[in-house]
């Protein structure tokens, strides 16, 4: 089984001549997870846990994951060099082998079991979730983990010649649960069935060509996408010539799955963000830097597309599709899942910096977002660190007014006090001291000169931090 | 010569072995609690016991939502903490109350790095003539706190929710969703444990996280959660004081100005 899987897999993953890699795989057993080794970023969707009483015909969790994978793949193809794999469980679900931590560590090569692993510096996004029945309603909750292998997800922001490192508060979190109906689940099954037929043209009435397998692993390449359609190349057996046809990503045109699962827009956005960073930084493990000049138009368009996707996620969340109910229930939902809003807001901030944004109105908006994120998780040092650095960057880019830095020093000290082992915040705090303490002649324009007493006190504080690593 | 920290770590390694021997030779007095062992490997663990209907009580339709909500809350806590927190389902383990956890049981749990044990029940109450109502009770045992402060009555949080209306799923959902509190309990328990291990930086981060989460959630006055918030605040301060007085600790808690350590991050 494993050899056969590997053979089909390697055939399917021969890159298209001169073209980017858009690869898909469905029905891959959790015991033998794999990724597209040549892709800059892979998305791996695990089966959703669905209670047995809801699995009338079995397998809804796998079907939901397959639809999510199709929707994601069609959306992320624009980023180039991407892959999406849908893992599947036996019946009803083997918790152990489909455990996200088990799959993640296998795909990162930390434990055996994966057919192929994520390469150094390449991106991985894991998506998993549950559907639960509570009080006559169904609630769907997804979870995500995004990363680049062996790479700190840091971004360095140069301010007045000194590097300041920032990152998001978390790279793994639970989304806000959403209420769905039995009808929604039934429509998921119908949609899945409708997408199993390949068509000659990307049109609903177009002639059918082949039926895609449901009950065995299926690997394919994509060489073209249209709105809601992907052109698929695949082989059922190594000895057979490749087949092709248009796969309908979803049977309905209204994007129902996106409404049910706005987290798919987040996944789309985070893939764009990771793909940009993989391309810009290669396998560097130390983290990239805010560019001195804006990236070229093509790379900039990647970031813009990623930002648009995350904006869509945030908008859907804020427009109240969260948990149906009164505003109090929605407030409760945010208080219980603060990272579901904080991390996307922070990613939007990071991407604006990566775009080389210097427009003061845009930077103001970026700051508002990262400040809102810090308010959601006031106890997280990375959140306050990002807010302070973006504020400094905004103010220095604007280049007006007098800068003091002592307010920022206090906030950075408090952030470090809340998470003393955070080396990025420690390094930033030291650099902030160094900026503030520069001799009068070397102070950047606009920085206020300290009094002698202030200088001595701050110099003493810096000295006591200097021997600590970071 | 072993440092104080190294001695403690050696002690942790030895304790499980001694415990196993002890259990084999002397059947414990707490035999009514079915034994549960966390999975092998590093990291902290949450035990999830049976969520059930107590003997003699009427079954309630609240039971199923309670189970699934708790399951989801645990998954979220695990995801939000970067998958470093494991949870272990303990089949047929049904504590009746905190008093089932004698000092030997607690030491056992603590040695296995269990930071939280959760159990609960749901029942329907008929009051005669009036419509019945439903009660869901869930108890969180914060193991390291119960071990280190057995008399302080803050090591266990028992929450009872009452509803007459099971027809409104959103109300039931809001009633039972405690993901934020669960994350706070895990954090404050971990902080207590890490402080004992003199891992001051990590302990302070967890204490501040617990404090921040509880402040955002805003516990009701005179509830165990409010007491826990006070404890988390005090703990964050005590960790700082200990670190500053420690001969071996050389980290930021010693180097930062004292006024920067009062607020646990937060604020402008």
């Amino acid at each position: 089984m494993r050899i056969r899987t590997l053979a089909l897999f390697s055939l399917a993953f021969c890159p298209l001549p001169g073209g980017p890699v858009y690869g898909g795989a469905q029905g891959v057993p959790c015991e033998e997870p794999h990724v597209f080794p040549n892709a800059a970023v892979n998305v791996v969707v695990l089966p959703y846990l669905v209670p047995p009483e809801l699995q009338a015909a079995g397998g809804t969790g796998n079907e939901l994951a397959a639809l999510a994978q199709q929707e994601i793949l069609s959306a992320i193809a624009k980023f180039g060099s991407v892959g999406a794999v849908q893992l599947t469980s036996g019946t009803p679900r083997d918790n152990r082998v489909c455990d996200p931590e088990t799959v993640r560590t296998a795909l990162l090569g930390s434990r055996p079991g994966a057919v192929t692993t994520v390469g150094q510096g390449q991106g991985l996004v894991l998506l998993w979730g549950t559907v639960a029945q509570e009080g006559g309603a169904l609630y769907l909750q997804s979870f995500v983990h995004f990363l680049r292998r062996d790479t700190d997800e840091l971004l360095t922001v140069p301010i007045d010649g000194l590097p300041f490192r920032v990152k998001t508060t978390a790279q793994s979190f639970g989304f806000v649960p959403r209420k769905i109906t039995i009808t929604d689940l039934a429509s998921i099954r119908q949609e899945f069935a409708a997408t199993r037929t390949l068509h000659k043209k990307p049109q609903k009435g177009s002639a059918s060509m082949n039926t895609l397998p449901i009950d065995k692993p299926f690997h394919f390449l994509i060489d073209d996408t249209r709105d809601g359609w992907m052109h698929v190349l695949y082989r059922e057996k190594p000895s057979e010539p490749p087949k092709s046809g248009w796969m309908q990503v979803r049977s309905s045109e209204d994007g129902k799955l996106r409404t049910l699962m706005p987290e798919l827009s987040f996944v789309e956005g985070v893939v764009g963000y990771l793909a940009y960073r993989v391309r810009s930084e290669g396998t560097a493990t130390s983290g990239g830097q805010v560019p001195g000049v804006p990236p070229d138009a093509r790379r900039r368009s990647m970031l813009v597309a990623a930002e648009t996707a995350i904006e869509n996620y945030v908008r859907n969340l804020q427009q109240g599709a969260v948990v149906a109910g009164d505003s109090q229930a929605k407030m409760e939902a945010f208080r219980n899942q603060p990272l579901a809003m904080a991390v996307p807001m922070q990613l939007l901030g990071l991407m604006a910096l990566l775009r080389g944004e210097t427009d003061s109105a845009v930077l103001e908006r970026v700051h508002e977002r990262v400040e809102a994120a810090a308010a959601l998780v006031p106890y997280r040092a990375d959140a306050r660190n990002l807010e302070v650095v973006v504020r400094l960057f905004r103010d220095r880019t604007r280049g007006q007014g007098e800068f003091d830095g002592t307010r920022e020093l206090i906030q950075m000290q408090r952030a470090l006090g809340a998470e003393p082992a955070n080396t990025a915040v420690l390094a930033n705090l030291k650099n902030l001291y160094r900026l503030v303490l520069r001799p009068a002649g070397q102070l950047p324009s606009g920085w206020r000169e300290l009094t002698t007493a202030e200088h001595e006190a701050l110099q003493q504080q810096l000295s006591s931090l200097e021997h600590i690593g970071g | 010569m072993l440092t104080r920290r190294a001695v403690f770590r050696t002690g942790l390694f030895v304790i499980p072995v001694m415990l196993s021997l002890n259990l084999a030779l002397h059947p414990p007095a707490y035999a009514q609690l079915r034994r549960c062992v966390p999975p092998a490997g590093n990291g902290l663990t949450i035990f999830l016991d049976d969520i059930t209907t107590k003997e003699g009580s009427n079954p309630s339709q609240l039971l199923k939502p309670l189970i699934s909500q708790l399951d989801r809350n645990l998954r979220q806590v695990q995801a939000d903490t970067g998958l470093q927190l494991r949870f272990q389902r303990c089949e047929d383990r049904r504590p009746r109350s905190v008093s089932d956890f004698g000092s030997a049981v607690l030491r056992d749990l603590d040695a296995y790095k269990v930071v939280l044990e959760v159990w609960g029940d749901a029942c329907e109450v008929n009051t005669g003539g009036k419509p019945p109502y439903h009660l869901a009770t869930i108890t969180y045992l914060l193991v390291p706190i119960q071990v280190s402060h057995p008399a302080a009555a803050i090591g266990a949080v028992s929450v009872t929710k009452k509803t007459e209306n099971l027809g409104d799923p959103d109300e039931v959902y809001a009633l039972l969703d405690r993901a934020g509190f669960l994350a706070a309990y895990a954090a404050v328990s971990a902080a207590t444990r890490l402080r004992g291990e003199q891992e001051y930086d990590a302990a302070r981060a967890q204490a501040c996280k617990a404090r921040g989460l509880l402040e955002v959630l805003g516990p009701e006055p005179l509830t165990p959660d409010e007491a826990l918030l006070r404890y988390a605040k005090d703990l964050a301060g005590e960790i700082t004081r200990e670190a500053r007085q420690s001969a071996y600790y050389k980290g930021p808690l010693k180097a930062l100005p004292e006024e920067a350590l009062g607020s646990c991050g937060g604020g402008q």
Side-chain angles (χ1 to χ4, degrees):
Chain A
M1 170 71 184
R2 187 184 172 90
I3 292 169
R4 186 171 176 277
T5 301
L6 192 58
L8 284 172
F9 175 69
S10 57
L11 274 171
F13 293 141
C14 289
L16 298 173
V21 176
Y22 316 125
Q26 294 187 333
V28 175
C30 285
E31 297 91 328
E32 297 180 353
H34 61 66
V35 288
F36 291 74
N38 296 324
V41 183
N42 277 278
V43 179
V44 176
V45 186
L46 281 77
Y48 277 63
L49 261 179
V50 176
E53 62 270 24
L54 294 177
Q55 300 179 26
T60 306
N62 286 332
E63 290 165 1
L64 179 56
L67 279 175
Q69 182 256 11
Q70 288 170 197
E71 179 77 28
I72 290 166
L73 186 53
S74 72
I76 63 176
K78 59 179 170 279
F79 299 122
S81 188
V82 290
V85 177
Q86 177 240 337
L87 298 185
T88 189
S89 60
T91 53
R93 154 103 193 231
D94 186 335
N95 273 327
R96 190 176 45 81
V97 294
C98 280
D99 171 62
E101 174 68 350
T102 306
V103 170
R104 183 181 71 90
T105 49
L107 290 175
L108 294 178
S110 306
R111 73 166 73 198
V115 177
T116 53
T117 56
V118 177
Q120 172 97 15
Q122 291 176 333
L124 174 67
V125 182
L126 279 176
L127 182 70
W128 69 99
T130 64
V131 177
Q133 191 165 25
E134 293 173 24
L138 301 178
Y139 292 91
L140 183 151
Q141 186 176 19
S142 298
F143 306 89
V144 72
H145 193 151
F146 61 94
L147 57 93
R148 281 179 292 157
R149 182 173 175 178
D150 301 329
T151 305
D152 281 336
E153 206 49 52
L154 286 165
L155 179 66
T156 301
V157 183
I159 297 174
D160 287 325
L162 286 173
F164 287 82
R165 294 188 290 168
V166 292
K167 62 183 209 178
T168 58
T169 297
Q171 289 175 237
S172 169
F173 62 89
F175 291 98
V176 177
R178 304 177 73 81
K179 192 160 77 170
I180 61 171
T181 63
I182 292 280
T183 312
D184 292 328
L185 272 190
S187 72
I188 284 168
R189 177 159 296 157
Q190 283 168 5
E191 289 214 18
F192 180 74
T195 63
R196 295 299 87 190
T197 303
L198 288 188
H199 296 261
K200 198 167 185 180
K201 294 178 182 172
Q203 295 166 2
K204 259 192 172 174
S206 164
S208 301
M209 296 169 66
N210 301 302
T211 302
L212 300 176
I214 293 176
D215 53 355
K216 59 182 180 181
F218 165 56
H219 304 95
F220 54 94
L221 288 177
I222 298 163
D223 61 353
D224 197 3
T225 59
R226 305 283 164 84
D227 185 30
W229 294 82
M230 303 186 290
H231 191 252
V232 168
L233 300 167
Y234 74 103
R235 282 178 179 157
E236 285 199 48
K237 292 178 184 170
S239 54
E240 289 181 356
K243 295 177 180 175
S244 68
W246 286 93
M247 177 200 274
Q248 199 176 1
V249 174
R250 59 188 101 89
S251 66
S252 60
E253 310 256 325
D254 60 358
K256 184 164 189 179
L257 196 64
R258 290 269 180 153
T259 312
L260 288 177
M261 301 175 70
E263 52 267 37
L264 299 184
S265 295
F266 176 82
V267 172
E268 177 187 343
V270 86
V271 168
Y273 162 81
L274 290 172
Y276 175 86
R277 297 204 67 177
V278 171
R279 292 224 180 136
S280 305
E281 297 158 29
T283 57
T285 57
S286 54
Q289 180 162 326
V290 168
V293 291
D296 62 45
R298 188 164 161 271
R299 289 201 173 168
R300 185 182 159 85
S301 71
M302 277 177 77
L303 283 173
V304 170
E307 285 176 86
T308 303
I310 295 184
E311 298 261 19
N312 287 339
Y313 163 79
V314 170
R315 195 176 308 116
N316 275 338
L317 213 52
Q318 286 179 325
Q319 279 177 354
V322 190
V323 175
D326 60 18
S327 58
Q328 185 59 35
K330 287 168 195 163
M331 283 301 295
E332 291 288 337
F334 270 109
R335 289 197 312 191
N336 280 316
Q337 284 89 23
L339 294 174
M341 181 56 84
V343 174
M345 300 285 243
Q346 292 169 335
L347 273 174
L348 286 171
L350 293 183
M351 285 194 279
L353 295 175
L354 280 168
R355 267 195 288 111
E357 188 60 64
T358 54
D359 182 278
S360 70
V362 177
L363 287 176
E364 187 64 45
R365 175 81 183 118
V366 168
H367 178 255
E368 282 171 13
R369 283 180 165 150
V370 295
E371 190 169 35
L376 281 166
V377 282
Y379 45 90
R380 296 300 297 265
D382 287 316
R384 181 56 61 194
N385 176 53
L386 178 58
E387 185 276 316
V388 170
V389 171
V390 167
R391 180 164 15 119
L392 275 172
F393 184 77
R394 176 201 66 187
D395 292 349
R396 297 306 296 156
T397 304
R398 197 185 283 158
Q400 294 167 353
E402 187 179 68
F403 299 95
D404 182 308
T406 49
R407 178 184 165 214
E408 284 75 16
L409 267 178
I410 291 167
Q411 289 182 323
M412 205 71 95
Q413 286 170 347
R414 287 181 182 168
L416 183 63
E419 273 187 50
N422 192 315
T423 53
V425 177
L426 174 59
N428 286 352
L429 177 59
K430 288 179 187 175
N431 278 341
L432 196 48
Y433 274 112
R434 290 175 191 130
L435 261 185
V436 174
L437 287 166
R438 279 181 179 172
Q442 295 173 29
L443 269 178
S445 65
W447 281 93
R448 179 177 72 85
E449 195 178 338
L450 298 174
T451 64
T452 307
E454 284 175 325
H455 196 281
E456 279 176 9
L458 294 182
Q459 183 63 59
Q460 197 174 352
Q461 289 175 13
L462 173 60
S463 300
S464 63
L465 285 169
E466 287 287 18
H467 71 278
I468 305 170
Chain B
M1 195 179 82
L2 287 171
T3 63
R4 197 172 161 192
R5 185 194 293 205
V7 169
F8 195 87
R9 283 185 171 156
T10 309
L12 272 183
F13 174 74
V14 170
I15 285 169
V17 180
M18 289 170 59
L19 266 169
S20 307
L21 283 172
N22 187 39
L23 285 168
L25 297 171
H26 309 286
Y30 51 89
Q32 69 271 24
L33 268 189
R34 181 177 282 265
R35 193 141 187 270
C36 190
V37 177
N42 293 321
L44 304 175
T45 300
I46 296 176
F47 272 2
L48 176 59
D49 300 337
D50 281 357
I51 310 293
T52 184
T53 303
K54 275 184 180 168
E55 267 183 43
S57 300
N58 295 325
S60 166
Q61 291 173 39
L62 205 51
L63 184 62
K64 215 167 120 186
L66 179 65
I67 292 170
S68 62
Q69 185 73 267
L70 188 56
D71 176 76
R72 201 173 47 235
N73 286 175
L74 284 166
R75 286 175 198 282
Q76 187 187 319
V77 170
Q78 194 182 32
D80 288 359
T81 51
L83 303 172
Q84 290 153 356
L85 194 65
R86 303 166 304 167
F87 59 93
Q88 174 69 37
R89 178 75 182 89
C90 298
E91 302 272 355
D92 295 328
R93 187 167 159 109
R94 296 175 185 179
R96 290 165 303 183
S97 72
V98 180
S99 59
D100 281 352
F101 294 83
S103 58
V105 185
L106 287 170
R107 279 200 307 273
D108 198 354
L109 292 172
D110 201 36
Y112 283 123
K113 299 188 180 180
V114 176
V115 287
L116 209 57
E117 178 156 350
V118 186
W119 69 92
D121 60 77
C123 64
E124 184 186 271
V125 180
N126 292 298
T127 51
K130 293 180 183 172
Y133 59 87
H134 301 261
L135 287 178
T137 302
I138 193 142
T139 304
Y140 308 84
L141 179 69
L142 289 69
V143 175
I145 300 177
Q146 190 72 1
V147 169
S148 57
H149 302 80
I154 51 170
V157 178
S158 207
V159 180
T160 297
K161 299 284 186 176
K162 175 185 171 184
T163 183
E164 293 173 7
N165 179 16
L166 291 180
D168 182 350
D170 291 341
E171 189 186 312
V172 175
Y173 179 93
L175 189 75
L176 301 176
D177 187 13
R178 290 182 58 83
F181 282 106
L182 189 64
Y185 301 156
V188 74
S189 279
T192 304
R193 183 184 173 85
L194 290 161
R195 177 199 180 185
E197 295 174 6
Q198 299 169 19
E199 296 282 357
Y200 295 122
D201 287 350
R204 166 94 182 167
Q206 292 299 323
C208 283
K209 181 181 177 184
R211 174 182 166 174
L213 281 165
L214 288 168
E215 281 176 342
V216 169
L217 291 164
E220 299 284 324
L222 304 175
T223 59
D225 289 329
E226 194 195 34
L228 214 52
L229 173 56
R230 280 198 304 274
Y231 171 77
K233 279 182 184 173
D234 292 346
L235 181 63
E238 285 165 16
I239 290 164
T240 305
R241 275 190 292 282
E242 276 185 30
R244 291 171 86 90
Q245 288 165 8
S246 165
Y248 84 83
Y249 177 80
K250 309 286 184 199
L253 292 176
K254 195 170 266 184
L256 284 168
E258 202 161 346
E259 55 270 24
L261 297 166
S263 69
C264 260
Q268 286 293 304

